[in-house]
Amino acid sequence: MSSSRQRGFGTGDQSEGRPAKRVSLQTVGRLSVYRKVLEELYRDGAEFIHSHQLAGLVGVSPAQLRRDLASFGSFGNIARGYNVYQMSRTISRILGTDESQNVALFGVGDLGRALLSYRGFEERGFHIAAAFDVDPEKVGRVYAGRRCYHTDKLEEVLPEFDVHMAILASRPEGLQLLTDRICAAGVQGILNFVPKRVTVPAGCFVEETDITSKLEMLSFLARSDQVHDGEELESAGPGEPVAQDMTG
Amino acid sequence: MSSSRQRGFGTGDQSEGRPAKRVSLQTVGRLSVYRKVLEELYRDGAEFIHSHQLAGLVGVSPAQLRRDLASFGSFGNIARGYNVYQMSRTISRILGTDESQNVALFGVGDLGRALLSYRGFEERGFHIAAAFDVDPEKVGRVYAGRRCYHTDKLEEVLPEFDVHMAILASRPEGLQLLTDRICAAGVQGILNFVPKRVTVPAGCFVEETDITSKLEMLSFLARSDQVHDGEELESAGPGEPVAQDMTG
DNA sequence: TGTCGGCTGTGATTGTATTCACAGTAGCCC
DNA sequence: GGGCTACTGTGAATACAATCACAGCCGACA
Ligand SMILES: NC(=O)c1ccc[n+]([C@@H]2O[C@H](COP(=O)([O-])OP(=O)(O)OC[C@H]3O[C@@H](n4cnc5c(N)ncnc54)[C@H](O)[C@@H]3O)[C@@H](O)[C@H]2O)c1
Ligand SMILES: NC(=O)c1ccc[n+]([C@@H]2O[C@H](COP(=O)([O-])OP(=O)(O)OC[C@H]3O[C@@H](n4cnc5c(N)ncnc54)[C@H](O)[C@@H]3O)[C@@H](O)[C@H]2O)c1
C-alpha cells in the first residue's frame, strides 16, 4: 500500500541483507510535513522552535519528532531548540528538493490537466517539464505552458529534460509496459494515480495513490465507530462474525 | 500522515483505554486492495482462491493475508481456500461499501471537476451526490450531472442527500471552519486534498492526500538509493552528517 | 469408508516503530 | 562566573506489526 521496491512474488525471500541502518518510510513522510509547517513558521518570522511546539503543530509526539530528526544527525540547539530556517533547508536537502527537479506527466486527461495547472508542485521543488499522451488530439498541444508529446517519444524527450520522476495519470491498459519503458529511460520515482498495480526494477520506486481506497478506509472507520458502544464489529469473536459462512 | 481521530495537542494523554482489540488501519488498507483484485478474479470466472495465490497477486505474504482476514472472523474453506465472490462481498460489507453511499465535494476547481468526472468512484460504491463552491460563476451550474450548491447551504443540502462523507478540494483559507461545519452536519469521513491540516471532533476521521509529499518521498528514495554503494546518507554517523550545524 | 495432502487459522516468535525517561548541557539570569 | 532551567539526543522499555510454524481439519480420491 505504499512505496515498494520490486518485490518477489509468492515467497518473498528476505535475504540480500543490507548492512546499514535504514530510515523508515514513515519517518520520511513526516519529514515532509515538518518542512511544510516550518516554512509557514518561517514566513511568520519564527526563528527557533522546540520539539514539543512543532510536534503539537503537526500532530506527532515530541519524542517521535526528535527521533525522526536524530536519524539524520544531530542538529538542534539544546537550550533554544531547532533553528526554523536551517531545519527547513536541511530537510529539503535530505528529501532532495533543495533544487527544483523535473517531472514527466503521462496522460493529459481530466486529472492530468488538473495536475498541470497545480501550483503546489513548483512551490515545493517539482516542475512538470513535459507531458505525454497518445491521443492525436492532445499531442502537439500546449497545456499550461507545457508541450504534450507522444508517448512513443519518451525515450528521446525524458533525457532532454533531465527527468528522473514521473506521474502516471493515463489508463490501466498497457500500464506495465509503459512503466517498464519509463524506468528504462532513467526514471527512478513513479507516482501512480492509475488504479492498477505496477512493478518496477530494483532501484526504482512506485508510490500508489488510490483515492477510492482512502474513501473505503474512511467508510470503514466511520462505520466501525458507530457500533463502538454496541458490540458488533470490534474483532472476530466466534458468535456470528461480520463474515457470513462461506463454506458453501 | 494518515487517518486520525482528534488528537490532543502537545502532551497527548494516552489514557481513555478502549477495551476491545482493534483492527489496524494498514489491515483496512490492504482489505481494499484484496477486494479490487478479487473483483477482477471474479470477472475472470475464478471461484476459489488460496491465500498464497491471492497474496502473490497483491504483493503481500500469505500469512499476512490470512491474518488480515482472520481479524474479522474465520471464513475460508480449509481445503478449497476462499470463495472469491463471497470474500469480495464480505470485504465490501466490512468496509461499508456494499451499498453505494453518497459523498459531497467541496471546491469545483480543476481538481474538483476531475473528481466529478471520475468513474472509479461509482464502480466502487461511492457517489458524489452534491458539489459545493463559493464562486458565483459556479454555483447553480451542473457538472457531470451534479448540481453545484453554495457552500453556505451545506447544512440544508447534506441531510437532503444523506451524505456522511466529504471530499475537500477547495482552498486553504477558512478550511478549518468549513471542516467544522461539515462535521457538525453529520459527516464522519473527510478526504482532504488541500495541503492544510485540519482537526476533527471525536467520531470523525480525516484522510490527508498530499500529493507533493508523495513526490518528496520518492525523491528521497531515489536519491538515497543512488548513494547506497557509497556511504553518504544511510544514517547519522558523527562524521559530517547530512545536517549541517545549526547551533548558530 | 479410510487415508493422505495441503490448506487455514492461530499461538509463538521475531522484527520494527514509538514512547519513556533521563544524562548531559547550552543559555540565561543574577 | 556560577547556578538553575528546561531542552535535546538517546538507551531502555513498551507497543505494535509481520512472519513462522504447526495442529487440526476438509475434501479428494481410491
Ligand atoms: N479524478 C480523476 O479523474 C481520477 C481520480 C483518481 C484516479 N484517476 C485515474 O487517473 C487516470 C487518469 O484519469 P482521467 O480522469 O484523467 O482519465 P481520462 O480518460 O480523462 O484521461 C486519460 C488520458 O490518458 C491518455 N492515455 C492513454 N494511454 C496512454 C499512454 N500509454 N500514454 C500516455 N497517455 C495515455 C488518454 O489519451 C487520456 O488522454 C485514470 O486511470 C483514472 O482511473 C482519475
Ligand atoms: N492537481 C491539482 O489541481 C491539485 C493537486 C493536489 C492538491 N490540490 C489542492 O486541491 C485544492 C483544489 O485544487 P484546484 O486546482 O482545483 O484549485 P482551484 O483554485 O482551481 O479550485 C478551488 C475551488 O475551490 C473553491 N472554493 C474556495 N473556497 C471554498 C469554500 N469555502 N467552499 C467551497 N469551495 C470553495 C474556489 O471557488 C475554486 O473553485 C487546492 O487546495 C489545491 O492545493 C490540487
Side-chain angles (χ1 to χ4, degrees):
Chain A
M1 206 183 60
S2 71
S3 170
S4 63
R5 133 190 342 248
Q6 178 161 17
R7 198 184 287 228
F9 271 95
T11 53
D13 66 311
Q14 224 54 32
S15 49
E16 81 142 9
R18 278 278 174 59
K21 186 175 80 181
R22 197 62 127 290
V23 175
S24 92
L25 264 192
Q26 312 183 63
T27 293
V28 178
R30 285 190 297 266
L31 282 187
S32 166
V33 182
Y34 301 156
R35 197 189 65 129
K36 200 166 65 179
V37 175
L38 283 167
E39 274 178 13
E40 285 172 25
L41 287 168
Y42 180 67
R43 258 181 261 126
D44 294 350
E47 196 175 354
F48 281 88
I49 192 166
H50 293 301
S51 63
H52 63 94
Q53 298 173 307
L54 182 52
L57 287 172
V58 306
V60 303
S61 75
Q64 180 156 78
L65 172 60
R66 293 201 300 275
R67 183 72 77 185
D68 283 341
L69 296 177
S71 57
F72 293 98
S74 128
F75 31 92
N77 180 304
I78 283 194
R80 289 203 277 167
Y82 300 89
N83 179 312
V84 171
Y85 176 73
Q86 293 269 19
M87 183 164 152
S88 175
R89 292 283 329 262
T90 301
I91 294 178
S92 293
R93 210 171 312 126
I94 291 170
L95 296 176
T97 56
D98 46 338
E99 300 178 8
S100 178
Q101 52 187 302
N102 287 339
V103 180
L105 172 71
F106 288 84
V108 187
D110 291 317
L111 179 60
R113 284 193 302 274
L115 294 172
L116 278 166
S117 68
Y118 182 46
R119 292 159 178 277
F121 291 141
E122 305 285 340
E123 283 166 14
R124 278 160 77 191
F126 298 98
H127 173 65
I128 300 184
F132 294 87
D133 209 301
V134 292
D135 184 345
E137 287 269 314
K138 287 166 182 157
V139 173
R141 283 184 61 182
V142 173
Y143 294 89
R146 268 66 55 93
R147 174 104 183 279
C148 178
Y149 298 90
H150 196 287
T151 298
D152 285 347
K153 297 280 198 303
L154 73 87
E155 282 84 0
E156 301 164 32
V157 179
L158 292 189
E160 190 180 322
F161 284 102
D162 191 32
V163 164
H164 296 281
M165 311 251 291
I167 300 175
L168 301 182
S170 58
R171 299 257 173 79
E173 301 86 41
L175 194 70
Q176 184 61 56
L177 263 64
L178 176 60
T179 304
D180 294 343
R181 285 176 63 195
I182 293 173
C183 292
V187 165
Q188 296 178 284
I190 293 180
L191 179 54
N192 181 22
F193 283 94
V194 186
K196 169 118 189 162
R197 187 123 326 195
V198 294
T199 62
V200 290
C204 293
F205 302 88
V206 190
E207 193 76 14
E208 303 285 339
T209 304
D210 191 334
I211 297 170
T212 317
S213 170
K214 296 221 155 185
L215 280 179
E216 286 171 344
M217 287 175 61
L218 285 168
S219 170
F220 170 83
L221 288 169
R223 175 156 306 211
S224 69
D225 200 63
Q226 274 182 338
V227 282
H228 257 169
D229 300 37
E231 50 80 33
E232 195 151 353
L233 209 52
E234 296 296 338
S235 163
E240 195 52 57
V242 179
Q244 72 186 56
D245 184 37
M246 280 187 167
T247 326
Chain B
M1 202 180 60
S2 70
S3 170
S4 63
R5 141 194 329 255
Q6 178 161 18
R7 197 184 287 226
F9 269 97
T11 54
D13 68 311
Q14 225 56 31
S15 49
E16 80 140 9
R18 278 280 174 59
K21 187 175 78 180
R22 195 64 127 288
V23 175
S24 92
L25 264 193
Q26 311 184 67
T27 293
V28 179
R30 285 190 296 267
L31 283 186
S32 166
V33 182
Y34 301 156
R35 197 189 66 132
K36 201 164 66 178
V37 175
L38 284 166
E39 274 179 13
E40 286 172 24
L41 287 167
Y42 181 66
R43 259 181 259 127
D44 294 350
E47 198 176 352
F48 281 87
I49 192 165
H50 292 302
S51 62
H52 63 93
Q53 298 173 308
L54 182 52
L57 288 172
V58 306
V60 303
S61 76
Q64 180 157 78
L65 173 59
R66 294 201 298 276
R67 184 71 78 183
D68 283 341
L69 297 177
S71 56
F72 293 98
S74 127
F75 31 91
N77 180 305
I78 280 194
R80 288 203 279 168
Y82 300 89
N83 179 312
V84 171
Y85 176 73
Q86 294 269 17
M87 182 163 152
S88 175
R89 291 287 325 265
T90 301
I91 294 178
S92 293
R93 211 171 312 126
I94 292 169
L95 295 176
T97 57
D98 48 336
E99 299 178 9
S100 179
Q101 51 187 304
N102 287 340
V103 180
L105 172 72
F106 289 84
V108 188
D110 291 318
L111 179 60
R113 284 194 302 271
L115 294 171
L116 278 167
S117 69
Y118 183 44
R119 293 160 176 277
F121 291 141
E122 305 285 339
E123 283 166 15
R124 280 159 75 190
F126 297 99
H127 173 65
I128 299 183
F132 294 88
D133 208 301
V134 292
D135 184 346
E137 286 269 311
K138 287 166 182 156
V139 172
R141 284 183 61 182
V142 173
Y143 294 90
R146 268 67 53 95
R147 174 104 183 280
C148 178
Y149 299 89
H150 196 286
T151 298
D152 285 347
K153 297 279 200 300
L154 74 87
E155 282 83 1
E156 301 164 32
V157 178
L158 292 188
E160 190 179 323
F161 284 102
D162 191 32
V163 164
H164 297 281
M165 312 250 292
I167 299 175
L168 300 183
S170 58
R171 298 256 173 79
E173 302 84 43
L175 194 71
Q176 184 60 57
L177 263 64
L178 176 60
T179 304
D180 294 343
R181 285 176 62 193
I182 292 173
C183 291
V187 165
Q188 296 178 284
I190 294 180
L191 179 54
N192 181 22
F193 283 94
V194 186
K196 170 117 189 163
R197 186 119 332 190
V198 294
T199 62
V200 290
C204 292
F205 302 88
V206 190
E207 193 76 15
E208 303 285 339
T209 304
D210 189 334
I211 297 170
T212 316
S213 170
K214 296 221 156 187
L215 280 180
E216 287 170 342
M217 288 175 61
L218 285 168
S219 170
F220 170 83
L221 289 168
R223 174 156 308 208
S224 70
D225 200 63
Q226 275 183 336
V227 283
H228 257 170
D229 301 36
E231 49 79 34
E232 197 151 353
L233 208 54
E234 296 297 338
S235 164
E240 195 53 59
V242 179
Q244 71 186 56
D245 184 35
M246 279 185 168
T247 325

